[in-house]
Amino acid sequence: MNILLFGPNGSGNGTQGSLLKENYNLAHIESGAIFREHIGKGTALGKKAKEYMDRGDLVPDDITIPMVLETLKEKGENGWLLDGFPRNMVQAEKLWDALQKAGMKLDYVVEIQLPRKAAKDRIMGRRLCVADNNHPNNIHIDAIAPKGETCRVCGGALTARADDQNEDAINKRHDIYYDDKNGTLAAAYFYKNLAAKGLTRYIELDGQGDIASVKEALIRKLR
Ligand code: AMP
C-alpha cells in the first residue's frame, strides 16, 4: 500500500504516521527526518538544508525533490508512507509525474484536518516530562492536561521544547501549510482533484479527537 499523508504541524500527523507505518508495514519516508539525518551526519546537503529549516522556510525544490524521489526508489518497493512531502504545487506535480513514470500506484491520500488556531495551541501546549519524553502532556488538550505544573503520568517536572515556543517559526510553517494556492494545502487539493477523476482515493480526517479515536477513524476509512 502506498500512502501520502498531509496534516499541519500540530495535527498529530507524526503520531498517526507512525501508527500507519506499523499497521501496514510501510517504509515511513519523512522528508524532515531525512534532512535531520543529513544534518546529524554533517553532509553538504545537510548544511545547505539547515539554514532554511532554522528559519522555518522550505528547503529549495532542487534539493528536496531529487532527495525524496531517490529515497522513494531506494526504500519504497514494498509499500510506503510519504510524510512531509509534497509541500507545494511543484513538488506535488513532480511526485505525480515520477509515480506515473515508475508505474507506482498511489492508493490513498490522507488529509488530517485541524483549524490553524487549534494546531498552534497544540504545539505551544506541548510539555516534556523530564523523567520520560513519552509521557503525554499538553496544557491545551484536556485529555492529556498535566496535573498542575507536573507530569500527568508520573508527577515529574515538565519543560517545553524551545522550538515549540517559537511563535514566528510556527506561524511561518503554518503560512506554508494552510496556503491553498501554492502551499501544502494546494498540493493536497491537487491530489483531491486526481481522486475526483478516480486516479487515487482521498481521505479527509477530523484531527480534533484524541490519538486513539483519530487512528480508529483512519483505519476504518482505509478499508
Ligand atoms: P518537518 O519535520 O516535516 O516539520 O520538517 C522540518 C523542516 O524540513 C521543514 O520546516 C522544512 O524546512 C524542511 N522540509 C521538510 N520537508 C520539506 C519539503 N517537502 N520541502 C521543503 N522543505 C522541507
Side-chain angles (χ1 to χ4, degrees), residues 7 11 17 56 59 110 122 141 194 202:
S11 68
V59 179
V110 177
R122 279 197 184 181
I141 301 178
L194 292 175
Y202 197 86

Side-chain angles (χ1 to χ4, degrees), residues 140-188:
H140 291 303
I141 301 178
D142 290 344
I144 53 169
K147 280 193 200 127
E149 305 276 294
T150 61
C151 173
R152 60 188 298 277
V153 179
C154 70
L158 295 175
T159 59
R161 248 169 57 183
D163 55 342
D164 281 350
Q165 304 305 312
N166 183 344
E167 241 184 300
D168 287 345
I170 295 169
N171 286 339
K172 211 179 222 181
R173 291 167 60 128
H174 281 164
D175 282 346
I176 296 168
Y177 185 85
Y178 289 97
D179 172 1
D180 59 6
K181 298 285 177 294
N182 290 299
T184 309
L185 275 183

